[in-house]
Amino acid sequence: MFCNQCEQTSKGTGCVTVGVCGKKADVAALQDLLSQAVASLSRTVRTARERGVEASGADRLACEALFATLTNVNFDPQALAGYVGRISEEEARLRERAGLGPASWQVAPDLAGMVSQGERMGYPGSQEPDADLRSLQEILLYGVRGVAAYAFHAADLGQEDQAVYDFIHQAMAALGSERSLQEWLAMALKCGEVNLRAMELLDAAHTGTFGHPEPTPVRLGPLAGKCLLVSGHDLRDLDRVLQQTAGKGIFVYTHGEMLPAHAYPGLKKYPHLAGHYGTAWQNQKQEFAAFPGPILMTTNCLQEPQAPYAGSIFTTGPVGWPGVSHLVGQDFSPLVHKALQMPGFAAEEDKGTVLTGFARNAVLGVADQVIGAVRAGAIRRFFLVGGCDGAKPGRSYYAQLVDALPPDTVVLTLACGKFRFFDHQLGDIGGIPRLLDMGQCNDAYSAIQVALALADAFQCGVNDLPLSMVLSWFEQKAVSILLTLLYLGVKNIRLGPSLPAFVSPNVLQVLADTYGLRPIGTVEEDLAAMLA
Ligand code: SF4
Ligand code: SF3
């Protein structure tokens, strides 16, 4: 196997025998084959559409399949083989309808055959001998995986844009073809543009369905009683859980990226949405083991379930682990049943609260106050400290940076990296909290809208704002967000805890020269440079 798609990749170069994430060689091969199958489907979709043949069945399926290849989503060989089968059946149907004849390759008929086929083929673009051209194709592939994940969520809540699907097919179909460095770079930036649209759709899906997030204190300690934990990013799944547990005496808690759910009127209305439990994904083995109720994993980041909770964790959507109960469709009754069987928390515990819900509507609602504070010198600078968390010790940089920031600065944060500092008491500046949680990773859309609105108010460009971006990345959604920021021309982003293994030295030089993209350094040096 060879996989280099996430930040924790082995030795900073690539996982070759087993993934640091726990991905085994057969799963890696099946994910490569699945990506190849999507690329083949995408080529057929493009030809069929040129012939005027309807191909909408391929769009969401391709997104879901790509979602299953993201880091920490699906580790189940049977589930991945199932996706490969569905993709190739969809392609065969489409080819028949478009009068295209059979595809030039056939998926192996059984699991073992698929694994060796995936091993032989690798992921699309992996056969490119030139390191820089391969690097750009990997950036594109991983970015497209992130876009597909956001598009899948948005579509689930009824928000779709054909242009997003068309680009996903265009990019997947292009991988492995001969193109110049400039052409691949242009396509990677286009991926960033399309991701902005996908995040916009998801924002519309979330706010349209559940209302605009409102600043909301969230309880961190448990209440006495039966309990159920929901992790991942899928708000619709959380809504279903809340509906199906209503009136049953079960308290529902959020975990990881689900924290910002508490701020949506359509979700906070449930009195049994009791609070937030635990921190970011890499701590789940300890946190889940100590949770006295069942756990639902709606998306990434899933780690190998441990004995204490292997029988009480459930997956849904594109998530999977061999032997773990997978909930299909809208019926979560096995999960609810489990919650009623398990002991729940014996006693209430007070661990204070954290604030969330500072998405674009809430921040722009007090824009005059914020702008006034900047003009009066009360706010010297904003720091967007956002992105993913992970296990590397170097990630302590982000909490140290936040704690070292002077009191006339404001921290905007989003995604699971915030759990390193989300409960630090930073106080406020004239009533404006110094730590503003904007939401999940996809709520980078909110941060962008706030930055654009501030630039408008101050009649300057985003790069001229008193704003520094210090990002932490882990998986492929973060890759797509980084591409969005580069597409928008955002400069001088600091990225850590380490730079992607799939960015070659020459490509990195181009990104450094063009955008000033740079790795994080020490807290002291970076802070001095950003405040200068
Ligand atoms: Fe390694 Fe990350 Fe790939 Fe897992 S997803 S195999 S940790 S590079
Ligand atoms: Fe976290 Fe997995 Fe990226 Fe949505 S949940 S930010 S790492």
Side-chain angles (χ1 to χ4, degrees):
M1 70 177 274
F2 179 79
C3 183
N4 64 356
Q5 70 171 355
C6 83
E7 190 275 331
Q8 66 180 359
T9 197
S10 181
K11 302 192 173 94
T13 51
C15 297
V16 289
T17 45
V18 67
V20 175
C21 60
K23 182 155 89 181
K24 301 211 168 71
D26 59 342
V27 168
L30 288 164
Q31 290 185 344
D32 287 352
L33 182 65
L34 184 52
S35 302
Q36 293 282 6
V38 172
S40 181
L41 173 65
S42 291
R43 287 190 288 272
T44 295
V45 166
R46 285 168 64 75
T47 313
R49 285 199 167 127
E50 275 164 23
R51 297 185 174 199
V53 176
E54 200 276 328
S56 59
D59 295 335
R60 283 174 71 166
L61 181 58
C63 287
E64 184 174 350
L66 288 171
F67 201 162
T69 68
L70 255 71
T71 298
N72 289 343
V73 173
N74 203 311
F75 297 82
D76 184 354
Q78 294 294 346
L80 293 165
Y83 278 121
V84 173
R86 281 169 63 196
I87 292 281
S88 70
E89 281 162 22
E90 182 64 31
E91 184 178 9
R93 272 196 299 274
L94 196 52
R95 294 189 76 85
E96 201 179 312
R97 281 211 306 277
L100 289 170
S104 57
W105 71 298
Q106 295 297 319
V107 165
D110 56 19
L111 188 64
M114 285 188 196
V115 169
S116 47
Q117 203 171 16
E119 280 168 353
R120 251 191 342 269
M121 295 175 82
Y123 49 88
S126 59
Q127 313 287 349
E128 169 61 56
D130 182 277
D132 300 326
L133 296 176
R134 192 172 61 247
S135 166
L136 283 162
Q137 290 185 66
E138 287 169 348
I139 293 172
L140 180 61
L141 173 63
Y142 305 152
V144 165
R145 286 177 176 175
V147 176
Y150 290 141
F152 172 79
H153 279 302
D156 238 19
L157 287 165
Q159 289 287 337
E160 294 177 271
D161 181 346
Q162 192 56 46
V164 172
Y165 296 136
D166 287 347
F167 176 76
I168 290 172
H169 293 306
Q170 183 194 343
M172 289 305 295
L175 291 168
S177 65
E178 273 187 34
R179 273 158 216 255
S180 67
L181 207 112
Q182 285 69 27
E183 286 171 319
W184 286 122
L185 194 56
M187 212 181 266
L189 292 177
K190 179 78 186 167
C191 181
E193 180 184 0
V194 172
N195 185 57
L196 182 61
R197 177 68 183 135
M199 290 195 296
E200 182 184 24
L201 288 171
L202 186 49
D203 179 279
H206 285 160
T207 56
T209 311
F210 304 115
H212 279 281
E214 302 161 345
T216 305
V218 182
R219 188 187 162 86
L220 293 179
L223 295 170
K226 302 282 183 191
C227 59
L228 192 160
L229 190 61
V230 184
S231 191
H233 303 69
D234 199 313
L235 299 186
R236 190 205 54 162
D237 286 334
L238 175 64
D239 187 38
R240 284 202 185 122
V241 168
L242 288 163
Q243 284 175 30
Q244 294 178 31
T245 47
K248 292 196 161 68
I250 301 168
F251 289 119
V252 175
Y253 298 84
T254 55
H255 178 265
E257 277 281 75
M258 210 50 95
L259 166 66
H262 290 271
Y264 288 87
L267 295 168
K268 66 195 271 193
K269 70 179 183 194
Y270 294 101
H272 60 301
L273 179 59
H276 186 80
Y277 172 88
T279 53
W281 66 271
Q282 76 280 357
N283 302 321
Q284 69 187 248
K285 289 182 181 172
Q286 296 79 36
E287 291 172 356
F288 289 178
F291 189 78
I295 301 140
L296 177 65
M297 206 72 202
T298 67
T299 62
N300 46 339
C301 278
L302 174 66
Q303 292 184 296
E304 180 174 11
Q306 304 297 293
Y309 61 90
S312 57
I313 185 167
F314 296 73
T315 58
T316 189
V319 193
W321 191 281
V324 163
S325 305
H326 186 76
L327 301 173
V328 182
Q330 308 189 2
D331 179 13
F332 290 173
S333 51
L335 180 74
V336 178
H337 187 66
K338 195 79 181 174
L340 293 171
Q341 279 178 339
M342 290 180 69
F345 286 104
E348 181 176 330
E349 225 182 307
D350 184 9
K351 293 184 175 175
T353 60
V354 288
L355 265 180
T356 187
F358 293 95
R360 63 188 169 91
N361 203 53
V363 175
L364 294 178
V366 292
D368 288 348
Q369 203 186 334
V370 173
I371 291 163
V374 175
R375 290 219 163 103
I379 296 179
R380 171 159 44 145
R381 197 162 189 86
F382 296 92
F383 289 82
L384 178 66
V385 186
C388 311
D389 207 352
K392 279 211 180 129
R395 288 183 181 269
S396 56
Y397 165 95
Y398 296 94
Q400 287 163 10
L401 177 78
V402 165
D403 288 342
L405 289 173
D408 54 358
T409 56
V410 170
V411 180
L412 306 170
T413 191
L414 47 88
C416 62
K418 65 172 160 269
F419 288 108
R420 300 257 168 180
F421 51 80
F422 79 134
D423 53 354
H424 294 196
Q425 302 302 323
L426 299 192
D428 65 284
I429 299 177
I432 302 166
R434 285 193 58 230
L435 181 60
L436 300 174
D437 177 15
M438 306 194 86
Q440 298 180 334
C441 48
N442 42 284
D443 293 311
Y445 178 75
S446 255
I448 288 166
Q449 293 309 308
V450 167
L452 292 176
L454 286 178
D456 202 37
F458 290 109
Q459 295 183 321
C460 66
V462 169
N463 290 316
D464 304 317
L465 285 171
L467 168 69
S468 299
M469 296 201 191
V470 191
L471 306 183
S472 51
W473 84 283
F474 175 65
E475 36 81 345
Q476 298 74 52
K477 294 181 200 175
V479 177
S480 65
I481 293 171
L482 182 64
L483 292 177
T484 296
L485 295 171
L486 298 183
Y487 153 73
L488 289 168
V490 176
K491 297 213 162 130
N492 301 325
I493 294 171
R494 284 178 163 76
L495 184 65
S498 51
L499 294 178
F502 51 83
V503 177
S504 69
N506 287 336
V507 172
L508 182 62
Q509 197 57 53
V510 170
L511 297 180
D513 292 347
T514 318
Y515 301 102
L517 183 73
R518 66 195 74 185
I520 57 169
T522 67
V523 168
E524 296 71 28
E525 283 165 10
D526 287 356
L527 200 52
M530 289 186 286
L531 288 171

